[in-house]
Amino acid sequence: MISPSQLDVDRDKGDFHYDTDYTFDAGIGLSEDVVRYISEVKKEDPWMLDFRLKALSTFEKKPMPTHWATDDLKNINFDVIRYYLSKGQQPSRTWDEVPDDIKNTFERLGIPEQERKFLAGVEAQFDSEAAYSNMKEDLAKEGVIFVGSTEGLKEHPEIFRKWFGKVIPTSDNKFSALNSAVFSGGSFIYIPPGVKLAQPLQAYFRINAENFGQFERTLIIADEGSEVMYMEGCTAPKFETSTLHSAVVELVALKGAKIQYVTVQNWSNNVFNLVTKRAIAEEEAEVRWIDCNIGSRLTMKYPGVILKGRKARGEVVSIALANDGQHQDTGAKMVHAADETTSNVVSKSISIGDGRSSYRGLVQMPGHLKGCKNNTECDALLINNKSQTDTYPAITVQGDANSVQHEASVSKVSAEQIFYMKQRGLGEAEAMSLCVNGFVNDLIREFPMEYSVELKRLIDLEMEGSVG
Amino acid sequence: MPPFSFDQPQTFELFAEGRSWEPGWLADYRKECWEQFSNLPKRVLKDERWRFSPRARFGLTKIDGLANAKESLLIESASTVDGISFDLLDRLILDQAHSISLLPKISGPNLGADDYSLLTGAFAETGFILRAQASARSDDPVIIEHREPEAGKIAFHHNLIELEAHAEVTLIEKFTAHPRNPGGHISNLLKVRLGEGARLNRVVLQECSQSSSLVQMENFIVGKNANLNTVSLHLGSGQSRIESKGVLQGEGANFDYGSVYLGRNDQLFDQRTIQVHEAPHCTSNLLCKNVLCNQSKSIFSGLIKVEEKAQHTDAYQTNRNLLLGSEGKADSLPGLEILANEVKCSHGATTSRIDPQDLFYLQSRGITSEKSEKLIALGFLNEPLMGINDKNSREWAMQCLESSFAS
């Protein structure tokens, strides 16, 4: 178990100030009233309220998964969390109160002035209204629906209700149940048959409407033959005062559709980031999760693909970086449920200082299937002698018509490599950074251009002070 | 008299009464084990250490009595070398109790079968004790036979191997089927401690009946520069749970572990291993190969744990499963927990069938498909056996494997 780092942020400085507008305050702690309140504020249909209440009782019944997960989960106090904050209740804080190290990071990553204030929590809203509405217009012409979760359920129930909560049932795990009870925010996306979006959809452009929730709910449906790339998060550290984030992301790729879901997250060191992500891939569909996890106190995230149709393909590409006081517990799940399905998992993790990164995987191939293949590679890099890495895959294969391979390795940056670069005039830290960037380079290339540039800079930043 | 059951306190009381002649410390140890067993939680719903395992197949409830200890463990070949003693627990308890004083001090592997481990501590009347004094060396292997008891009975064996500095011994352990009334249970707990520079070569051949149950628990503690080479060949038993722990306690220690499982009918092999690196500059290498025919099932769960001070570790773990037939099933849980950074560590797990091209190659040379399959499977399983240090036992193990394919 990793103890939270103390060098983080002085919480007192960024204290909450709430408006006295009680109509929007769900209060602190979780109860049936809170759930009813959220549903009421959102003016939801009765079936939605039932769904939320059932989820709440499931959440209360489910035990913490500490029989396999870290005991750090026991440190979450569900009674001090604010489960719903709507517009106007955002914490207000002045720019001067933002810690210097966060400001410096913004500077070095080259984040635009306007965005910095949003990311630091100084402004509740990031003004991208113009960009969003332009994009919305273009998308609407193609029949693409790109809205918030509340809006999606209200305005397009015929599309979203069919799949909502079907990929990840409420009772999947304790945190998916929690999300189902109190979710707000997140995106609902529908891509009509045959539409291939050239530009990636970015959650970023929509977050002005409702601030990135702690309990986001995202559902993407790609109809037959369509293609979409969705991006969430950003490389800049999000300065957060709420300590629990528990999102649920469901993807549905119908026949021949392609979905790429890109996440880059850099939470501050006090955040528990417990996310359930899963996709269903129908016949010949392809789902790729491209994931980069940096920051947070504990991240638990295992994107999965249920390969339901013949020749469906699933892929998880993930980079995790655990620095002091952080535990990145990430992985992948591949459930093969049709013939000739293939899956590929490539995971690279870096542990710095006393950081800990874990890979947890699951691959299932029942005996009645033929021609299924899985390949899993996990590589871990340890930078300091206090760093830790673990690998816990679980592979189940039945029958003689499928094949699976799993490989994992652990290494450190070799003294020889560092020596070689130092000889050519690079400083030790620079050399180390270069090695680490080289280690993840082939995966970083999978990210969209602007992300990959920022990611490289971010890794340089994280590496600082870790050598010598 | 009520039916035999490990749920009844009388079961232990009666047993202890019959052994009142034993030294006090041993009686205390038995009692302590029994009490711990009685206090075990009756039903743990989600135990990671039993993940994927149909645990009910190892039920203690199917047991109706203790086996005759004298018949269940036999020395086939003792040592003639000075300084090496190879004897049975029941013969040592009275006269040479000091030679078994280490038994309570070393724990079992504790990889899940706590119930069997504690019951063995409480009820074991026999077990082999292999001890070698410093620099004692034997070229001929010592051989022990664990004999499956008759149906419904359980044999508890509590064994100890203690090699002092630079001693070298080769041990062959055979598990054989009951000739007339198969279906017995064996619970075998082995504790091994190797002193500085000691070397143990161990080969296990398990040919229990297909209706028997085996729970095998091994804890190997390897000292400075010591060398442990153990290879197990599991051909029999209906269900077997094998727990092996290798602790690299002294600098420069080496642990080589190989295992072969050949599953037929509805055999179950449930294997849990852990390689614990406590000291720097140690190496460990684990290779587990399974061939699964019919409805047989294997579970491999392995962990390499490298502790913070165990820098310069080389640790490997490989699990390869070959499925012959559409109903075999292989679960694989290869794990790593690394806390030191100056390490070379890797694990690999693969599950597949025979490459149709290999099969075609052999068939095109006039070998029937059935025979080709056997040849390929035999070649596949030979790899761990190649790791047996002692040449004679290696050849013997290979012959045993080959003849098992002939049947």
Side-chain angles (χ1 to χ4, degrees), chain B residues 301-325:
Chain B
S301 166
L303 184 68
I304 297 178
K305 186 161 185 166
V306 179
E307 297 193 351
E308 218 172 301
K309 50 188 184 291
Q311 297 289 4
H312 304 282
T313 286
D314 265 11
Y316 305 98
Q317 176 204 74
T318 313
N319 169 227
R320 308 233 178 275
N321 303 307
L322 185 65
L323 291 164
L324 301 179

PDB file of all heavy atoms in Angstrom, chain B residues 301-325:
ATOM      1  N   SER B 301      -0.597 -21.020 -11.133  1.00  0.00           N
ATOM      2  CA  SER B 301      -0.531 -19.685 -10.556  1.00  0.00           C
ATOM      3  C   SER B 301       0.850 -19.510  -9.968  1.00  0.00           C
ATOM      4  O   SER B 301       1.246 -20.223  -9.049  1.00  0.00           O
ATOM      5  CB  SER B 301      -1.601 -19.542  -9.480  1.00  0.00           C
ATOM      6  OG  SER B 301      -1.326 -18.401  -8.715  1.00  0.00           O
ATOM      7  N   GLY B 302       1.619 -18.613 -10.522  1.00  0.00           N
ATOM      8  CA  GLY B 302       2.989 -18.439 -10.061  1.00  0.00           C
ATOM      9  C   GLY B 302       3.255 -16.998  -9.720  1.00  0.00           C
ATOM     10  O   GLY B 302       2.644 -16.097 -10.270  1.00  0.00           O
ATOM     11  N   LEU B 303       4.151 -16.786  -8.785  1.00  0.00           N
ATOM     12  CA  LEU B 303       4.513 -15.412  -8.438  1.00  0.00           C
ATOM     13  C   LEU B 303       6.016 -15.339  -8.220  1.00  0.00           C
ATOM     14  O   LEU B 303       6.597 -16.211  -7.574  1.00  0.00           O
ATOM     15  CB  LEU B 303       3.780 -14.981  -7.159  1.00  0.00           C
ATOM     16  CG  LEU B 303       3.988 -13.529  -6.731  1.00  0.00           C
ATOM     17  CD1 LEU B 303       3.334 -12.579  -7.712  1.00  0.00           C
ATOM     18  CD2 LEU B 303       3.438 -13.283  -5.342  1.00  0.00           C
ATOM     19  N   ILE B 304       6.621 -14.329  -8.801  1.00  0.00           N
ATOM     20  CA  ILE B 304       8.011 -14.029  -8.457  1.00  0.00           C
ATOM     21  C   ILE B 304       7.963 -12.814  -7.559  1.00  0.00           C
ATOM     22  O   ILE B 304       7.402 -11.791  -7.930  1.00  0.00           O
ATOM     23  CB  ILE B 304       8.864 -13.703  -9.705  1.00  0.00           C
ATOM     24  CG1 ILE B 304       8.940 -14.903 -10.642  1.00  0.00           C
ATOM     25  CG2 ILE B 304      10.257 -13.264  -9.288  1.00  0.00           C
ATOM     26  CD1 ILE B 304       9.726 -14.632 -11.914  1.00  0.00           C
ATOM     27  N   LYS B 305       8.497 -12.926  -6.380  1.00  0.00           N
ATOM     28  CA  LYS B 305       8.511 -11.783  -5.479  1.00  0.00           C
ATOM     29  C   LYS B 305       9.960 -11.405  -5.196  1.00  0.00           C
ATOM     30  O   LYS B 305      10.715 -12.191  -4.649  1.00  0.00           O
ATOM     31  CB  LYS B 305       7.785 -12.159  -4.183  1.00  0.00           C
ATOM     32  CG  LYS B 305       7.656 -10.975  -3.282  1.00  0.00           C
ATOM     33  CD  LYS B 305       6.586 -11.157  -2.248  1.00  0.00           C
ATOM     34  CE  LYS B 305       6.503  -9.818  -1.510  1.00  0.00           C
ATOM     35  NZ  LYS B 305       5.360  -9.660  -0.711  1.00  0.00           N
ATOM     36  N   VAL B 306      10.318 -10.202  -5.599  1.00  0.00           N
ATOM     37  CA  VAL B 306      11.688  -9.747  -5.375  1.00  0.00           C
ATOM     38  C   VAL B 306      11.637  -8.655  -4.321  1.00  0.00           C
ATOM     39  O   VAL B 306      11.031  -7.612  -4.528  1.00  0.00           O
ATOM     40  CB  VAL B 306      12.317  -9.209  -6.680  1.00  0.00           C
ATOM     41  CG1 VAL B 306      13.727  -8.731  -6.426  1.00  0.00           C
ATOM     42  CG2 VAL B 306      12.305 -10.280  -7.754  1.00  0.00           C
ATOM     43  N   GLU B 307      12.249  -8.909  -3.176  1.00  0.00           N
ATOM     44  CA  GLU B 307      12.192  -7.926  -2.103  1.00  0.00           C
ATOM     45  C   GLU B 307      13.212  -6.823  -2.330  1.00  0.00           C
ATOM     46  O   GLU B 307      14.131  -6.953  -3.135  1.00  0.00           O
ATOM     47  CB  GLU B 307      12.386  -8.626  -0.750  1.00  0.00           C
ATOM     48  CG  GLU B 307      11.247  -9.597  -0.533  1.00  0.00           C
ATOM     49  CD  GLU B 307      11.143 -10.133   0.869  1.00  0.00           C
ATOM     50  OE1 GLU B 307      12.067  -9.898   1.674  1.00  0.00           O
ATOM     51  OE2 GLU B 307      10.137 -10.806   1.145  1.00  0.00           O
ATOM     52  N   GLU B 308      13.026  -5.744  -1.558  1.00  0.00           N
ATOM     53  CA  GLU B 308      13.777  -4.522  -1.810  1.00  0.00           C
ATOM     54  C   GLU B 308      15.288  -4.723  -1.803  1.00  0.00           C
ATOM     55  O   GLU B 308      16.003  -4.137  -2.611  1.00  0.00           O
ATOM     56  CB  GLU B 308      13.374  -3.509  -0.745  1.00  0.00           C
ATOM     57  CG  GLU B 308      13.266  -2.103  -1.283  1.00  0.00           C
ATOM     58  CD  GLU B 308      12.680  -1.186  -0.229  1.00  0.00           C
ATOM     59  OE1 GLU B 308      11.558  -1.470   0.209  1.00  0.00           O
ATOM     60  OE2 GLU B 308      13.355  -0.219   0.147  1.00  0.00           O
ATOM     61  N   LYS B 309      15.761  -5.576  -0.894  1.00  0.00           N
ATOM     62  CA  LYS B 309      17.215  -5.707  -0.792  1.00  0.00           C
ATOM     63  C   LYS B 309      17.780  -6.728  -1.773  1.00  0.00           C
ATOM     64  O   LYS B 309      18.991  -6.867  -1.876  1.00  0.00           O
ATOM     65  CB  LYS B 309      17.616  -6.042   0.645  1.00  0.00           C
ATOM     66  CG  LYS B 309      16.839  -7.195   1.249  1.00  0.00           C
ATOM     67  CD  LYS B 309      17.161  -7.312   2.725  1.00  0.00           C
ATOM     68  CE  LYS B 309      16.481  -8.508   3.362  1.00  0.00           C
ATOM     69  NZ  LYS B 309      15.007  -8.389   3.454  1.00  0.00           N
ATOM     70  N   ALA B 310      16.925  -7.420  -2.493  1.00  0.00           N
ATOM     71  CA  ALA B 310      17.401  -8.482  -3.391  1.00  0.00           C
ATOM     72  C   ALA B 310      17.818  -7.917  -4.745  1.00  0.00           C
ATOM     73  O   ALA B 310      17.254  -8.254  -5.775  1.00  0.00           O
ATOM     74  CB  ALA B 310      16.318  -9.543  -3.556  1.00  0.00           C
ATOM     75  N   GLN B 311      18.806  -7.046  -4.715  1.00  0.00           N
ATOM     76  CA  GLN B 311      19.293  -6.478  -5.973  1.00  0.00           C
ATOM     77  C   GLN B 311      20.041  -7.556  -6.759  1.00  0.00           C
ATOM     78  O   GLN B 311      20.447  -8.565  -6.216  1.00  0.00           O
ATOM     79  CB  GLN B 311      20.212  -5.286  -5.692  1.00  0.00           C
ATOM     80  CG  GLN B 311      19.520  -4.112  -4.999  1.00  0.00           C
ATOM     81  CD  GLN B 311      18.545  -3.350  -5.895  1.00  0.00           C
ATOM     82  OE1 GLN B 311      18.308  -3.725  -7.034  1.00  0.00           O
ATOM     83  NE2 GLN B 311      17.964  -2.284  -5.365  1.00  0.00           N
ATOM     84  N   HIS B 312      20.228  -7.303  -8.029  1.00  0.00           N
ATOM     85  CA  HIS B 312      20.930  -8.227  -8.936  1.00  0.00           C
ATOM     86  C   HIS B 312      20.281  -9.604  -8.968  1.00  0.00           C
ATOM     87  O   HIS B 312      20.953 -10.630  -8.935  1.00  0.00           O
ATOM     88  CB  HIS B 312      22.415  -8.345  -8.561  1.00  0.00           C
ATOM     89  CG  HIS B 312      23.105  -7.022  -8.541  1.00  0.00           C
ATOM     90  ND1 HIS B 312      23.499  -6.381  -9.692  1.00  0.00           N
ATOM     91  CD2 HIS B 312      23.420  -6.198  -7.514  1.00  0.00           C
ATOM     92  CE1 HIS B 312      24.039  -5.222  -9.369  1.00  0.00           C
ATOM     93  NE2 HIS B 312      24.004  -5.077  -8.058  1.00  0.00           N
ATOM     94  N   THR B 313      18.972  -9.589  -8.998  1.00  0.00           N
ATOM     95  CA  THR B 313      18.228 -10.845  -9.079  1.00  0.00           C
ATOM     96  C   THR B 313      18.022 -11.229 -10.541  1.00  0.00           C
ATOM     97  O   THR B 313      17.789 -10.374 -11.379  1.00  0.00           O
ATOM     98  CB  THR B 313      16.852 -10.651  -8.398  1.00  0.00           C
ATOM     99  OG1 THR B 313      17.050 -10.606  -7.001  1.00  0.00           O
ATOM    100  CG2 THR B 313      15.895 -11.764  -8.752  1.00  0.00           C
ATOM    101  N   ASP B 314      18.121 -12.508 -10.804  1.00  0.00           N
ATOM    102  CA  ASP B 314      17.715 -13.051 -12.104  1.00  0.00           C
ATOM    103  C   ASP B 314      16.587 -14.025 -11.826  1.00  0.00           C
ATOM    104  O   ASP B 314      16.825 -15.053 -11.201  1.00  0.00           O
ATOM    105  CB  ASP B 314      18.869 -13.847 -12.741  1.00  0.00           C
ATOM    106  CG  ASP B 314      19.669 -12.995 -13.697  1.00  0.00           C
ATOM    107  OD1 ASP B 314      19.455 -11.769 -13.693  1.00  0.00           O
ATOM    108  OD2 ASP B 314      20.488 -13.553 -14.438  1.00  0.00           O
ATOM    109  N   ALA B 315      15.385 -13.717 -12.256  1.00  0.00           N
ATOM    110  CA  ALA B 315      14.288 -14.633 -11.956  1.00  0.00           C
ATOM    111  C   ALA B 315      13.407 -14.832 -13.177  1.00  0.00           C
ATOM    112  O   ALA B 315      13.031 -13.865 -13.831  1.00  0.00           O
ATOM    113  CB  ALA B 315      13.459 -14.093 -10.790  1.00  0.00           C
ATOM    114  N   TYR B 316      13.103 -16.076 -13.458  1.00  0.00           N
ATOM    115  CA  TYR B 316      12.280 -16.370 -14.628  1.00  0.00           C
ATOM    116  C   TYR B 316      11.179 -17.343 -14.260  1.00  0.00           C
ATOM    117  O   TYR B 316      11.339 -18.182 -13.372  1.00  0.00           O
ATOM    118  CB  TYR B 316      13.143 -16.933 -15.762  1.00  0.00           C
ATOM    119  CG  TYR B 316      14.284 -16.033 -16.101  1.00  0.00           C
ATOM    120  CD1 TYR B 316      15.548 -16.269 -15.590  1.00  0.00           C
ATOM    121  CD2 TYR B 316      14.066 -14.902 -16.874  1.00  0.00           C
ATOM    122  CE1 TYR B 316      16.592 -15.399 -15.855  1.00  0.00           C
ATOM    123  CE2 TYR B 316      15.093 -14.028 -17.139  1.00  0.00           C
ATOM    124  CZ  TYR B 316      16.368 -14.279 -16.631  1.00  0.00           C
ATOM    125  OH  TYR B 316      17.375 -13.400 -16.874  1.00  0.00           O
ATOM    126  N   GLN B 317      10.107 -17.238 -14.988  1.00  0.00           N
ATOM    127  CA  GLN B 317       8.962 -18.106 -14.717  1.00  0.00           C
ATOM    128  C   GLN B 317       8.246 -18.339 -16.054  1.00  0.00           C
ATOM    129  O   GLN B 317       7.918 -17.390 -16.747  1.00  0.00           O
ATOM    130  CB  GLN B 317       8.050 -17.353 -13.751  1.00  0.00           C
ATOM    131  CG  GLN B 317       6.758 -18.017 -13.410  1.00  0.00           C
ATOM    132  CD  GLN B 317       5.744 -16.979 -12.965  1.00  0.00           C
ATOM    133  OE1 GLN B 317       5.215 -16.246 -13.780  1.00  0.00           O
ATOM    134  NE2 GLN B 317       5.508 -16.891 -11.675  1.00  0.00           N
ATOM    135  N   THR B 318       8.098 -19.595 -16.416  1.00  0.00           N
ATOM    136  CA  THR B 318       7.475 -19.894 -17.703  1.00  0.00           C
ATOM    137  C   THR B 318       6.410 -20.962 -17.532  1.00  0.00           C
ATOM    138  O   THR B 318       6.640 -21.976 -16.873  1.00  0.00           O
ATOM    139  CB  THR B 318       8.535 -20.412 -18.707  1.00  0.00           C
ATOM    140  OG1 THR B 318       9.661 -19.548 -18.665  1.00  0.00           O
ATOM    141  CG2 THR B 318       7.990 -20.453 -20.116  1.00  0.00           C
ATOM    142  N   ASN B 319       5.256 -20.730 -18.105  1.00  0.00           N
ATOM    143  CA  ASN B 319       4.193 -21.726 -18.104  1.00  0.00           C
ATOM    144  C   ASN B 319       3.742 -21.940 -19.550  1.00  0.00           C
ATOM    145  O   ASN B 319       3.364 -21.002 -20.228  1.00  0.00           O
ATOM    146  CB  ASN B 319       3.011 -21.233 -17.240  1.00  0.00           C
ATOM    147  CG  ASN B 319       1.771 -22.082 -17.409  1.00  0.00           C
ATOM    148  OD1 ASN B 319       0.674 -21.584 -17.593  1.00  0.00           O
ATOM    149  ND2 ASN B 319       1.934 -23.403 -17.381  1.00  0.00           N
ATOM    150  N   ARG B 320       3.862 -23.190 -20.010  1.00  0.00           N
ATOM    151  CA  ARG B 320       3.407 -23.498 -21.376  1.00  0.00           C
ATOM    152  C   ARG B 320       2.375 -24.620 -21.317  1.00  0.00           C
ATOM    153  O   ARG B 320       2.614 -25.655 -20.709  1.00  0.00           O
ATOM    154  CB  ARG B 320       4.576 -23.924 -22.248  1.00  0.00           C
ATOM    155  CG  ARG B 320       5.744 -22.964 -22.226  1.00  0.00           C
ATOM    156  CD  ARG B 320       6.160 -22.546 -23.628  1.00  0.00           C
ATOM    157  NE  ARG B 320       7.238 -21.590 -23.599  1.00  0.00           N
ATOM    158  CZ  ARG B 320       7.089 -20.272 -23.462  1.00  0.00           C
ATOM    159  NH1 ARG B 320       5.883 -19.759 -23.333  1.00  0.00           N
ATOM    160  NH2 ARG B 320       8.119 -19.469 -23.443  1.00  0.00           N
ATOM    161  N   ASN B 321       1.247 -24.378 -21.951  1.00  0.00           N
ATOM    162  CA  ASN B 321       0.186 -25.381 -21.957  1.00  0.00           C
ATOM    163  C   ASN B 321      -0.097 -25.829 -23.374  1.00  0.00           C
ATOM    164  O   ASN B 321      -0.230 -25.004 -24.272  1.00  0.00           O
ATOM    165  CB  ASN B 321      -1.089 -24.789 -21.370  1.00  0.00           C
ATOM    166  CG  ASN B 321      -0.884 -24.260 -19.971  1.00  0.00           C
ATOM    167  OD1 ASN B 321      -0.387 -24.965 -19.099  1.00  0.00           O
ATOM    168  ND2 ASN B 321      -1.218 -23.007 -19.750  1.00  0.00           N
ATOM    169  N   LEU B 322      -0.179 -27.124 -23.541  1.00  0.00           N
ATOM    170  CA  LEU B 322      -0.514 -27.680 -24.854  1.00  0.00           C
ATOM    171  C   LEU B 322      -1.856 -28.391 -24.715  1.00  0.00           C
ATOM    172  O   LEU B 322      -1.993 -29.307 -23.908  1.00  0.00           O
ATOM    173  CB  LEU B 322       0.585 -28.661 -25.283  1.00  0.00           C
ATOM    174  CG  LEU B 322       0.465 -29.262 -26.675  1.00  0.00           C
ATOM    175  CD1 LEU B 322       0.609 -28.191 -27.743  1.00  0.00           C
ATOM    176  CD2 LEU B 322       1.540 -30.324 -26.881  1.00  0.00           C
ATOM    177  N   LEU B 323      -2.835 -27.931 -25.485  1.00  0.00           N
ATOM    178  CA  LEU B 323      -4.160 -28.533 -25.388  1.00  0.00           C
ATOM    179  C   LEU B 323      -4.346 -29.531 -26.516  1.00  0.00           C
ATOM    180  O   LEU B 323      -4.215 -29.196 -27.687  1.00  0.00           O
ATOM    181  CB  LEU B 323      -5.226 -27.441 -25.468  1.00  0.00           C
ATOM    182  CG  LEU B 323      -5.303 -26.497 -24.265  1.00  0.00           C
ATOM    183  CD1 LEU B 323      -6.103 -25.250 -24.595  1.00  0.00           C
ATOM    184  CD2 LEU B 323      -5.910 -27.193 -23.069  1.00  0.00           C
ATOM    185  N   LEU B 324      -4.625 -30.778 -26.151  1.00  0.00           N
ATOM    186  CA  LEU B 324      -4.930 -31.803 -27.150  1.00  0.00           C
ATOM    187  C   LEU B 324      -6.397 -32.130 -26.966  1.00  0.00           C
ATOM    188  O   LEU B 324      -6.781 -32.692 -25.960  1.00  0.00           O
ATOM    189  CB  LEU B 324      -4.092 -33.059 -26.921  1.00  0.00           C
ATOM    190  CG  LEU B 324      -2.575 -32.912 -26.958  1.00  0.00           C
ATOM    191  CD1 LEU B 324      -1.914 -34.255 -26.687  1.00  0.00           C
ATOM    192  CD2 LEU B 324      -2.120 -32.377 -28.293  1.00  0.00           C
ATOM    193  N   GLY B 325      -7.204 -31.773 -27.907  1.00  0.00           N
ATOM    194  CA  GLY B 325      -8.639 -32.032 -27.748  1.00  0.00           C
ATOM    195  C   GLY B 325      -9.353 -30.771 -27.340  1.00  0.00           C
ATOM    196  O   GLY B 325      -8.766 -29.855 -26.773  1.00  0.00           O
TER     197      GLY B 325
END
